[in-house]
Amino acid sequence: MAEAGQGVHLTDEQRIDWLRLIRSQNVGPRTFRALINHFGGARAALEALPALARRGGSGGSPRIYSREEAERELDAAENLGAVFVAVGEADYPRRLQTIDDAPPLLAVRGNLAALALPGVAVVGSRNASAAGLKITQRLARELGEAGFATVSGLARGIDAAAHRASLESGTVAVLAGGLDRLYPPEHAELVDAILPAGVVVSEMPFGWEPRARDFPRRNRLISGLSLGVVIVEAAKRSGSLITARLALEQGREVFAVPGSPLDPRAEGTNGLLKQGATPVTEAADIISVLQPIIGTELPAREPEPAGEPGEYVEPAADERSRIISLLSPVPISMDDLVRLSKTSPRVVRIVLLELEIAGRLERHGGGLVSLL
Amino acid sequence: MAEAGQGVHLTDEQRIDWLRLIRSQNVGPRTFRALINHFGGARAALEALPALARRGGSGGSPRIYSREEAERELDAAENLGAVFVAVGEADYPRRLQTIDDAPPLLAVRGNLAALALPGVAVVGSRNASAAGLKITQRLARELGEAGFATVSGLARGIDAAAHRASLESGTVAVLAGGLDRLYPPEHAELVDAILPAGVVVSEMPFGWEPRARDFPRRNRLISGLSLGVVIVEAAKRSGSLITARLALEQGREVFAVPGSPLDPRAEGTNGLLKQGATPVTEAADIISVLQPIIGTELPAREPEPAGEPGEYVEPAADERSRIISLLSPVPISMDDLVRLSKTSPRVVRIVLLELEIAGRLERHGGGLVSLL
C-alpha cells in the first residue's frame, strides 16, 4: 500500500483517515487494501465511497465513519492509554502483517514490547478440566521462560490460565469487542495484571460489544499473531478448532495436547492429532519446532495487484454488466473475471470495489470473490 | 528352505526332526533356517551338529534334543489338543512367515481358523485404568465385528480385556512359556473361553516356565502375527513399547491411544504419537488404515542365501581363522565377511554355523552377526 510500506509512520491526519475508512460500512481489511491500492490513500478512498456505492447498485449512500467519530475514538483510546498501530509501522506485529486480512489498524493497550516477542497461541475450552488448566499453566510458564509471548483470547478456562501463567514474561490478549468492552467482564483484574509486561489488542471499535460472530473473526488474529497454535482441550465443533483451522490456512504450526478418548474435552484435540497436528505433552515439544523458525522468512501475503493508483475512472456500462454477469454466489478468481470479461484488471478491480461498497460482494482468501 | 516351501506338509518323521533341531542347544529360528538351507533338511543338520560345535571351538558337545524328548512333547501337545504347525504349511499364519526370525514350529491350541483372519495386536499395561480397559473392550469388539482377530499376550489388564471382548469373533493369545504353562495362571478360564473361536500359541517347549526375558522375545510374535499393533496404555519403558518397536522393524502399522499428559499410563502412548504412531480413539481409525492392506503383498523376508544344500565340507583352517579374526561383538554383515576374508559365501556360512552351534555367535536382523 502506498501509505503502508514497511517502516512507515502515519501522520495524525492519515491515522484519522485510516480509522474512518476501516470503520465505514462494507469496508473490511481486504477491501481496505484494495481501496488504498486503487486510490493511493485513505483520503481519496473515503471521497470515492459514495460514488462507488451508487455505481455498485446500492440503494442509499454507505455509512461513512465521520471525522468526529474517529476523533472521539482516538480520544477514548488515549483515555485508556491505548494506541492505534497501523500495518507497516514499526510497532505493528510483523507476523500478523503476513496474513491476507490483517487489520489495517490494531488498538493496543499495555507494553508494546510484548508484540515484538515470538508468539505462541495457547487456547482451549472455557469449561476446562483441572488437568487441562494444570497443563496449560505448565506450558505457558515454560514458553514464557523460553522467551515466547503467549497469545490467547482472555476467555474463561484455558485462555485465562495461559495468560495468568505468563504475566511476567509477556502475554497477548486478543479481544472480540472493543478494548473498553472486556469479555468476560470479570477478567478486568486479569487485564490489569497483563498490562505491565503484556498487551490487550483489538481490531474492533471502542464501545463495540462483542457478538457471537465476532469471536471466530477474532480467532484469526490469535493465530495470525503466533508462530504456532497449541490447543489444550477442545470439544468437537469448538471455537478452538476454528483457531486451529485458521492457523493452518495461515501456514502456522498446529499443536494439540492428547487426552483420553473417553474425555469429551479431548475430542477436538485428538481429532487434530489425527489430522496431523503435533502432539504436545510438555513445552519442549513446542519449542523444538518453533525455535528454529523464529525470524525466518514469513510466508508471503498474496501479491498486491499491479497498476498505478489513481483517481476513480468510471468503467463503461457494458464492461460493468459483463463482469457482474460472471459473478455468482460461487467464488471466482480475479484472473478468471479478467479473462472471461475481456476487460482489464483495473476495470475488474473497480467494479468489484463498487459492488463491495454497495454491500453486494464478499472477498475470500486467495483472491476469490462472490456475490452476496 | 528345501523342506519348507509354500504349501508343503511335513511328514511325521520330518516334524520330529524339526522339533529336535529347533529345541537343540544354540539353535534359534535364524540358525534353524541357516542349517536347513545348508544341509538340505533337519535330519542332516542334526547329524552335523556335534562336528559343527567342535569345529566352532565348543568345549563339549551341544545338547541335542533327543527323539524321545521330541516324542514326549508331541504326546503332551496331543493330550492338550494342540498341534505343531511348520513354516510353509497351510495352517501357518502367512504374515508371521514374513518375519526374519519366524519360529519354524508354532504350537497351536484351539480353532485354527483364527490364524487365517487378519490380525490386529491390542496390547498395553497390566495395571490398566478403568478407562483404558473400557477403550480396549470397545476397540476389540469393533475390530472383531469388522472381521479382524485380536492378537495379545494374555497378560492382566489391557491384554485380557482385548481377548475377552473378542471371544466370539476370534482372538489369538501368544504365550511366553509352553502351551501348558499359562501365565498368569488365573487366566486358565480365559483360555478355555478363547479356544472355541480363537487360539493360544507358543514357540516355546511344552513344560517351559516363562522367564522375564521370554516376554520381549514373545512380543515379536504378537506384532509378527498382526497387520498392526495398537498400544492402549503404556508407561515409559514398558513391554508394550518393545512390541511397538518390533512392529516398526517388521513393517507393521503402529497405533496409539492418546491420553492426558498428566497420566503416567499415557506416557508411552503419547511418546509413540510423537514418533509418528497413528492416533486411535475408535476402531474406525484402525480399520481405515488396515482394511486396504489386507491381502496385499507381504514385505519380503531377507532373501535366502544362494548355493546348493549339501553335506558338511570342512573349511580349511586358515579360512576359518581369517573369518574369525574379522568377527567381534560389533555386528558385521555376511557380505563384508565374504569380501574381507576373501573366501566364498559357502565357507563363511559354514564357519558362522560352527560358531553359532558352539554358542559363540549371535545373529541379528538384516543378516548381521556378532561374537558373543
Side-chain angles (χ1 to χ4, degrees):
Chain A
M1 304 182 202
E3 285 178 358
Q6 193 68 43
V8 300
H9 187 79
L10 297 194
T11 64
D12 290 350
E13 279 300 303
Q14 281 176 324
R15 206 173 306 268
I16 288 174
D17 290 341
W18 275 45
L19 194 55
R20 290 185 61 199
L21 186 58
I22 188 61
R23 298 282 190 249
S24 290
Q25 195 178 1
N26 299 328
V27 179
R30 288 194 182 90
T31 316
F32 183 97
R33 262 170 73 208
L35 287 166
I36 293 262
N37 283 326
H38 194 85
F39 294 101
R43 174 70 54 96
L46 281 166
E47 284 163 3
L49 286 183
L52 283 169
R54 197 169 55 246
R55 304 285 179 199
S58 165
S61 198
R63 242 198 47 72
I64 295 176
Y65 207 59
S66 71
R67 188 176 176 93
E68 292 67 38
E69 288 173 301
E71 284 174 343
R72 259 203 308 279
E73 195 174 346
L74 287 169
D75 286 347
E78 201 177 335
N79 288 339
L80 205 63
V83 293
F84 282 98
V85 183
V87 159
E89 289 190 320
D91 285 331
Y92 196 92
R94 279 193 61 223
R95 221 152 252 277
L96 183 60
Q97 208 154 312
T98 63
I99 72 170
D100 187 45
D101 48 359
L105 285 171
L106 197 62
V108 186
R109 190 178 166 210
N111 187 334
L112 285 157
L115 290 176
L117 296 175
V120 180
V122 179
V123 300
S125 314
R126 283 186 297 279
N127 72 338
S129 70
L133 294 173
K134 188 168 172 185
I135 292 162
T136 304
Q137 256 166 33
R138 194 195 284 173
L139 292 178
R141 191 176 52 239
E142 289 174 19
L143 287 169
E145 287 165 3
F148 291 90
T150 57
V151 182
S152 199
L154 201 74
R156 300 182 184 101
I158 301 295
D159 287 24
H163 291 305
R164 280 209 181 87
S166 50
L167 293 175
E168 291 179 22
S169 47
T171 185
V172 178
V174 188
L175 303 187
L179 273 197
D180 55 350
R181 290 293 184 274
L182 294 184
Y183 182 84
E186 72 263 31
H187 281 172
E189 267 181 86
L190 175 55
V191 165
D192 288 340
I194 285 172
L195 298 176
V199 290
V200 180
V201 305
S202 174
E203 67 173 326
M204 302 306 282
F206 276 76
W208 186 272
E209 291 289 350
R211 305 153 304 173
R213 67 175 130 156
D214 294 324
F215 289 89
R217 175 184 172 150
R218 180 274 313 265
N219 290 353
R220 86 187 194 287
L221 303 185
I222 292 180
S223 51
L225 282 159
S226 308
L227 291 156
V229 174
V230 186
I231 324 290
V232 180
E233 279 187 336
K236 270 195 211 163
R237 282 182 290 280
S238 66
S240 306
L241 297 184
I242 296 176
T243 310
R245 183 174 54 73
L246 294 167
L248 279 180
E249 288 174 12
Q250 295 168 353
R252 270 50 171 174
E253 301 292 328
V254 177
F255 301 89
V257 175
S260 166
L262 300 185
D263 180 355
R265 279 176 286 224
E267 277 187 50
T269 51
N270 287 341
L272 289 172
L273 292 178
K274 292 184 195 177
Q275 290 163 51
T278 302
V280 166
T281 61
E282 52 186 8
D285 299 326
I286 304 162
I287 296 166
S288 65
V289 172
L290 297 186
Q291 198 91 63
I293 59 175
I294 293 176
T296 55
E297 205 49 45
L298 301 164
R301 188 154 68 168
E302 59 185 55
E304 302 294 340
E308 286 294 297
E311 83 264 49
Y312 175 23
V313 180
E314 196 189 339
D318 67 318
E319 290 178 320
R320 185 185 287 118
S321 65
R322 277 210 304 283
I323 292 167
I324 292 177
S325 69
L326 290 167
L327 290 166
S328 78
V330 180
I332 183 172
S333 75
M334 293 270 291
D335 288 349
D336 284 348
L337 282 176
V338 171
R339 191 169 48 78
L340 296 170
S341 68
K342 299 186 172 49
T343 56
S344 68
R346 182 171 172 79
V347 168
V348 169
R349 282 202 303 275
I350 193 75
V351 170
L352 294 183
L353 277 174
E354 290 172 350
L355 293 170
E356 216 165 353
I357 301 305
R360 294 173 59 195
L361 190 91
E362 187 174 14
R363 281 185 198 264
H364 309 271
L368 298 175
V369 293
S370 66
L371 277 190
L372 281 173
Chain B
M1 304 184 204
E3 286 178 357
Q6 193 68 46
V8 298
H9 187 80
L10 297 194
T11 63
D12 289 351
E13 279 301 302
Q14 281 176 325
R15 204 173 308 268
I16 288 174
D17 289 341
W18 274 46
L19 193 56
R20 291 185 61 199
L21 185 58
I22 188 62
R23 299 284 190 249
S24 290
Q25 194 178 2
N26 298 327
V27 179
R30 289 195 181 91
T31 316
F32 183 96
R33 261 170 74 208
L35 287 166
I36 293 264
N37 282 326
H38 194 85
F39 294 102
R43 174 71 55 93
L46 282 166
E47 284 164 3
L49 287 184
L52 283 168
R54 196 170 56 245
R55 304 287 179 199
S58 165
S61 199
R63 244 199 46 73
I64 295 176
Y65 207 59
S66 71
R67 187 178 176 91
E68 293 67 40
E69 288 173 302
E71 285 173 343
R72 259 203 309 278
E73 194 174 347
L74 287 169
D75 285 347
E78 199 179 335
N79 288 338
L80 204 65
V83 293
F84 282 98
V85 183
V87 159
E89 290 189 320
D91 285 330
Y92 196 93
R94 280 194 60 222
R95 221 152 253 277
L96 183 60
Q97 207 153 314
T98 63
I99 72 170
D100 187 44
D101 47 359
L105 285 171
L106 198 62
V108 185
R109 191 179 164 207
N111 188 335
L112 286 156
L115 290 176
L117 296 174
V120 180
V122 179
V123 299
S125 314
R126 283 186 298 279
N127 71 337
S129 70
L133 294 174
K134 187 168 173 185
I135 292 162
T136 304
Q137 256 165 33
R138 194 195 283 172
L139 291 178
R141 192 176 51 238
E142 289 174 18
L143 287 169
E145 288 165 3
F148 290 90
T150 56
V151 182
S152 199
L154 201 73
R156 298 182 184 102
I158 302 294
D159 286 23
H163 291 306
R164 279 208 183 89
S166 50
L167 293 176
E168 291 180 22
S169 48
T171 184
V172 178
V174 188
L175 304 188
L179 273 197
D180 55 349
R181 290 293 184 273
L182 294 184
Y183 182 84
E186 72 265 29
H187 280 171
E189 268 181 87
L190 175 55
V191 165
D192 288 341
I194 286 173
L195 298 177
V199 289
V200 180
V201 306
S202 174
E203 66 172 326
M204 301 306 281
F206 277 76
W208 186 272
E209 291 289 350
R211 305 153 303 174
R213 65 173 133 157
D214 294 324
F215 290 89
R217 175 185 170 149
R218 182 273 314 266
N219 290 353
R220 86 186 195 288
L221 302 185
I222 291 180
S223 51
L225 281 159
S226 308
L227 291 155
V229 173
V230 186
I231 323 289
V232 181
E233 278 187 337
K236 270 194 208 163
R237 282 183 290 281
S238 67
S240 306
L241 298 184
I242 296 175
T243 310
R245 182 173 54 73
L246 294 167
L248 280 180
E249 289 174 12
Q250 295 168 352
R252 271 47 172 174
E253 301 294 327
V254 177
F255 302 89
V257 175
S260 166
L262 301 185
D263 180 356
R265 279 176 285 224
E267 277 186 50
T269 52
N270 286 341
L272 289 172
L273 293 178
K274 291 183 195 177
Q275 290 163 51
T278 303
V280 166
T281 61
E282 53 186 7
D285 299 325
I286 303 162
I287 295 166
S288 66
V289 172
L290 297 187
Q291 199 91 64
I293 59 174
I294 292 176
T296 55
E297 204 49 45
L298 302 164
R301 188 157 67 166
E302 60 186 51
E304 302 294 339
E308 286 294 296
E311 82 267 48
Y312 176 23
V313 181
E314 196 190 337
D318 66 316
E319 290 179 321
R320 183 184 288 117
S321 65
R322 278 211 304 282
I323 293 166
I324 292 177
S325 69
L326 290 166
L327 289 166
S328 78
V330 180
I332 182 171
S333 75
M334 293 271 291
D335 288 350
D336 284 348
L337 281 177
V338 171
R339 191 169 47 78
L340 296 170
S341 68
K342 300 188 172 45
T343 56
S344 69
R346 182 170 173 79
V347 166
V348 167
R349 282 202 302 275
I350 192 75
V351 170
L352 294 182
L353 277 175
E354 290 172 352
L355 293 168
E356 215 165 356
I357 300 304
R360 295 172 59 195
L361 190 90
E362 186 173 15
R363 281 185 198 265
H364 308 271
L368 298 176
V369 294
S370 66
L371 277 190
L372 281 172

